[in-house]
């Protein structure tokens, strides 16, 4: 008796004839805004191939996304109007901005679409039913189209109406970005070529303990920078001054380090750091041992010796995953560590994946985006996927074996 194969992700190739059909496309347009201006359009650009393919097949598109955290109320600061304007520029065609999310206005806007037309609904999170995965809200969204395409991997770990509910009501498939994300991260999770090196940074170790625990079972080396490194150093008695630490996580950290030692996984922590009394452009700073930071200072970047050691490990890797900056890279005096790691990752010969908004922002700042094999638009979703968790937005798009 033959056994059923593994579940398979439904893609655009499974939707059949699309000419004359209307597709509801869940995008991740959660882009940073300053004064109503988009400061980084990477997430918008990332979904363009899916939109162009659907339009090329003769479909008309109803796009939807969340932006920020308006907490279920209409907040003009989180309007998607700047996104529709930028989309119009990138696609060189009009993208109608609908003033509503669902209801009469949304039905009116979608009813005027013709093959090759696009419209963007207003911020999904203006309606509190979105995050509650309300069936009625999902039905209203589904009524605007005949097929559903999810291209928002960054929201795949959320069981929201536009992610899960609609996919259960319409013929559904993953867009090309979602497909690409899952293929790249599956390679890391299930079939990474050795040596596999993961680099984790960012502020809080509590946000990444689950990822650290899961990665220890997969990687050969784990490089830890950013403020989260100071909890590691302090957990064994290191003097870290005023650096951000989470004492309630010290036992978990020691357990993770013990697990890594038992599995012969190398954990590299900073040897030196750039320390300063405050994070400012004009603050006095000095490079000191990572475990001997002066009492009135805090570590704000990894030091040159650490960059050198991290870069050496990265250069030897066949597979690389990076999530989280090495310091306060937004301020030039504390950017060298993140720049050094970004340079090492982008110039490495191994297969590289970078995820998380800050890491991608750093690559862009240092003009190193082109050196990375895959830029993951899903920070939290990427980590949860690598942890082996079931993502609701992915599970609903899987074809049962």
């Amino acid at each position: 008796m033959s056994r059923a194969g593994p579940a398979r992700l439904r893609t655009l190739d499974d939707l059949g004839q699309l000419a004359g059909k209307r597709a509801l496309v869940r995008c991740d347009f959660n882009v940073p805004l300053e004064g109503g201006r988009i400061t980084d359009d990477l997430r918008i650009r990332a979904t363009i191939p899916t939109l162009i393919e659907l339009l090329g097949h003769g479909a008309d598109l109803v796009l939807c996304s969340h932006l920020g955290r308006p907490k279920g109320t209409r907040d003009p600061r989180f309007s998607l109007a700047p996104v529709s304007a930028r989309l119009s520029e990138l696609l060189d065609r009009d993208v109608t901005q609908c003033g509503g999310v669902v209801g009469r206005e949304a039905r009116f806007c979608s009813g005027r679409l013709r093959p090759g037309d696009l419209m963007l609904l207003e911020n999904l999170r203006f309606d509190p039913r979105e995050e509650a995965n309300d069936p009625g809200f999902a039905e209203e969204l589904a009524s605007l189209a005949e097929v559903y395409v999810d291209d928002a991997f960054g929201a795949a770990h959320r069981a929201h109406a536009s992610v899960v509910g609609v996919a259960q009501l319409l013929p559904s498939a993953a867009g090309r970005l979602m497909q690409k994300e899952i293929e790249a991260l599956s390679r890391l999770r299930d079939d990474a070529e050795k040596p596999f090196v993961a680099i984790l940074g960012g502020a809080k170790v509590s946000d990444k303990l689950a990822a650290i625990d899961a990665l220890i079972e997969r990687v050969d080396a784990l490089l830890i920078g950013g403020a989260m490194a100071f909890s590691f150093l302090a957990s064994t008695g290191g003097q870290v001054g005023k650096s951000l630490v989470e004492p309630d996580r010290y036992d978990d950290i020691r357990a993770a380090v013990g697990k890594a030692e038992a599995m012969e996984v190398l954990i590299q922590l900073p040897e030196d750091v750039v320390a300063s009394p405050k994070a400012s452009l004009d603050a006095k700073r000095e490079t000191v041992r990572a475990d001997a930071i002066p009492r009135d200072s805090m570590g704000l970047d990894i030091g040159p010796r650490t960059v050198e050691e991290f870069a050496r490990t990265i250069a030897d890797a066949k597979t690389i995953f990076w999530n989280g900056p090495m310091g306060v890279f937004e301020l030039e005096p504390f950017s060298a560590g993140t720049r050094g790691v970004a340079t090492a990752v982008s110039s490495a010969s191994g297969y590289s994946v970078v995820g998380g908004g800050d890491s991608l922002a750093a690559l862009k700042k240092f003009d190193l985006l082109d050196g990375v094999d895959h830029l993951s638009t899903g920070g939290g979703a990427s980590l949860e996927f690598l942890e082996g968790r079931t993502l609701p937005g992915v599970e609903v798009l899987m074809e049962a074996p």
Side-chain angles (χ1 to χ4, degrees), residues 135-327:
F137 184 63
E139 288 177 5
E140 287 189 72
L141 286 171
S143 71
L144 300 175
E146 297 158 279
V147 298
Y148 169 77
V149 175
D150 190 350
D151 215 28
F153 181 75
H157 58 321
R158 308 295 189 193
H160 293 171
S162 68
V163 175
V164 175
V166 177
Q168 296 170 329
L169 298 172
L170 293 174
S172 58
R176 296 307 183 196
L177 174 60
M178 174 77 86
Q179 179 183 352
K180 185 179 177 183
E181 292 272 18
I182 293 170
E183 289 172 352
L185 292 169
S186 293
R187 177 173 172 177
L188 264 60
R189 189 188 64 187
D190 305 325
D191 194 30
E193 188 176 0
K194 300 287 190 170
F196 180 7
V197 173
I199 310 125
L200 295 181
K204 298 176 69 176
V205 70
S206 56
D207 293 340
K208 293 178 178 173
L209 273 171
I212 288 169
D213 188 66
L215 285 168
I216 286 171
E217 299 179 4
R218 294 178 171 86
V219 304
D220 300 284
L222 185 58
L223 282 48
I224 296 177
M228 61 184 285
F230 299 114
S231 288
F232 276 81
L233 293 162
S235 71
T236 55
Q239 302 303 305
V240 298
K242 298 194 302 179
S243 303
L244 177 67
V245 292
E246 296 177 82
D248 61 324
R249 296 296 188 172
Y250 288 174
D251 287 345
D252 295 325
I253 289 169
R254 286 189 285 261
V257 171
K259 177 179 178 178
E261 290 175 350
M263 299 188 71
E264 298 184 343
V265 172
L266 173 67
I267 291 186
Q268 280 187 254
L269 296 171
E271 296 183 20
D272 60 346
V273 297
V274 179
S276 175
K278 59 180 180 178
S280 67
L281 289 171
D282 57 353
K284 177 185 176 183
R285 59 190 185 277
E286 59 180 330
T287 300
V288 299
R289 270 178 39 194
D291 60 354
I293 300 173
R295 187 173 300 177
D296 64 345
S297 292
M298 66 185 85
L300 295 171
D301 190 18
I302 58 173
R305 173 69 176 170
T306 301
V307 171
E308 184 179 320
E309 292 300 318
F310 279 15
R312 184 175 291 113
T313 303
I314 293 166
D316 291 337
K318 294 291 182 64
T319 306
I320 303 158
F321 173 67
W322 177 29
N323 181 291
M326 298 294 101

